[in-house]
Amino acid sequence: MRFGIGDEVGQQVAIGILVFVVGAGVEAWLGNRRWAKYIWLSVRNWNQNVRVSISVLYRIEIEGEYLLVPSARFPGRFQPVGGVLKAYGSGVSELRRLGVRDDDVVPIDSVSDGDLRVRVPGRNLVGFLRWYDSGLGRELSGWREFQEELVSTGILQQATFTSIREDALRRHESPARYSEWAGSHEIFIAEIRIVLPTEAQALELRRLKLESSEGYVWVSASTIERRGIGTGATEQIQIAEQTSWIL
């Protein structure tokens, strides 16, 4: 059977429509799948709290190595630059409306006040996550943490790092798990960002690689994957679990 030009065009249009419909269907399925797991977690913990921790982590890479800094909460352990995001303004009021409480695992002080490391009533978990996705009343960048960990400490020169360019790599969402330590189910969400240094900033970062300091380390991807054991296991440092999320 022969087809004319009109038939070929019709076939191409039909294929295009089919690809669009299938693609849209897959996208919707993946989106619904994400929410389905949180709805199920909400139902399972309807009258209990779920521990939620939301942070931003920076991938700072120079010549195949990644910059890590010591953990403020766990001395001796290294992790990516970044930290827990904060709620403020209208966000604080919304969290209060949802019955969200401060997490009691990490002591609340002037540094951790407003952190999105919280206990969320299971019945309001989806509402909380939708509020977070809206971006209203919360930090959108990890610049505060970047300044505190690298600029204010003198590791990087303030004159060179008055600001940074960053690009969103992905959002990491760990599977929900029950934590005996926290006494509840918990989920970890991390916004993974890539620092895009200017030429002057790249030179400054390369300078750090030529110096040694207790305030930072440069490590390879394989060392991160091994949680601190370098090639040949000649040197060893402690690397936090969440560090692998930036790779």
Side-chain angles (χ1 to χ4, degrees):
M1 181 180 295
R2 294 186 176 182
F3 295 96
I5 295 178
D7 294 324
E8 292 179 358
V9 172
Q11 283 183 319
Q12 292 175 357
V13 171
I15 292 172
I17 293 174
L18 180 60
V19 169
F20 173 80
V21 170
V22 171
V26 169
E27 183 177 359
W29 177 77
L30 289 174
N32 290 334
R33 184 183 179 190
R34 172 181 180 249
W35 285 110
K37 68 179 182 181
Y38 289 131
I39 291 172
W40 174 237
L41 184 62
S42 174
V43 171
R44 289 181 62 191
N45 295 272
W46 191 259
N47 293 316
Q48 300 174 4
N49 288 326
V50 177
R51 184 173 185 257
V52 183
S53 179
I54 306 178
S55 61
V56 58
L57 301 177
Y58 282 113
R59 177 200 280 189
I60 305 174
E61 180 185 3
I62 295 292
E63 299 168 347
E65 292 191 320
Y66 302 85
L67 179 62
L68 307 181
V69 294
S71 168
R73 299 288 179 186
F74 301 97
R77 185 181 301 178
F78 287 86
Q79 62 189 24
V81 172
V84 178
L85 292 171
K86 289 184 180 291
Y88 53 77
S90 62
V92 175
S93 300
E94 179 64 12
L95 296 185
R96 189 178 299 117
R97 186 187 71 81
L98 292 170
V100 175
R101 298 188 295 107
D102 290 328
D103 180 40
D104 55 5
V105 171
V106 177
I108 302 300
D109 52 29
S110 59
V111 176
S112 60
D113 184 43
D115 280 359
L116 288 178
R117 186 190 292 112
V118 292
R119 302 279 178 151
V120 182
R123 61 185 177 278
N124 292 332
L125 179 62
V126 172
F128 168 81
L129 293 173
R130 289 194 181 280
W131 163 80
Y132 174 76
D133 281 355
S134 75
L136 300 175
R138 67 169 179 86
E139 283 184 310
L140 299 175
S141 167
W143 172 240
R144 172 183 55 82
E145 292 279 357
F146 187 99
Q147 279 189 307
E148 290 176 358
E149 296 179 350
L150 293 178
V151 181
S152 298
T153 55
I155 294 175
L156 295 176
Q157 297 180 11
Q158 187 170 5
T160 306
F161 285 86
T162 56
S163 63
I164 57 172
R165 294 180 302 169
E166 58 185 85
D167 192 14
L169 178 61
R170 63 177 172 273
R171 176 181 293 180
H172 174 90
E173 298 185 357
S174 295
R177 65 184 183 188
Y178 185 83
S179 168
E180 294 184 0
W181 181 59
S184 68
H185 279 91
E186 60 183 7
I187 55 176
F188 295 91
I189 298 173
E191 306 293 347
I192 311 300
R193 307 283 177 81
I194 302 176
V195 173
L196 305 173
T198 64
E199 184 175 345
Q201 290 173 344
L203 287 173
E204 178 78 4
L205 290 168
R206 288 190 177 93
R207 177 186 64 81
L208 293 186
K209 296 192 68 177
L210 301 177
E211 303 173 357
S212 59
S213 170
E214 295 182 355
Y216 61 86
V217 294
W218 290 91
V219 297
S220 65
S222 61
T223 299
I224 292 175
E225 290 168 345
R226 296 187 183 99
R227 298 285 299 277
I229 302 177
T231 303
T234 56
E235 293 186 5
Q236 205 169 336
I237 59 174
Q238 294 185 48
I239 293 182
E241 179 183 359
Q242 69 270 23
T243 306
S244 62
W245 302 348
I246 69 171
L247 297 179

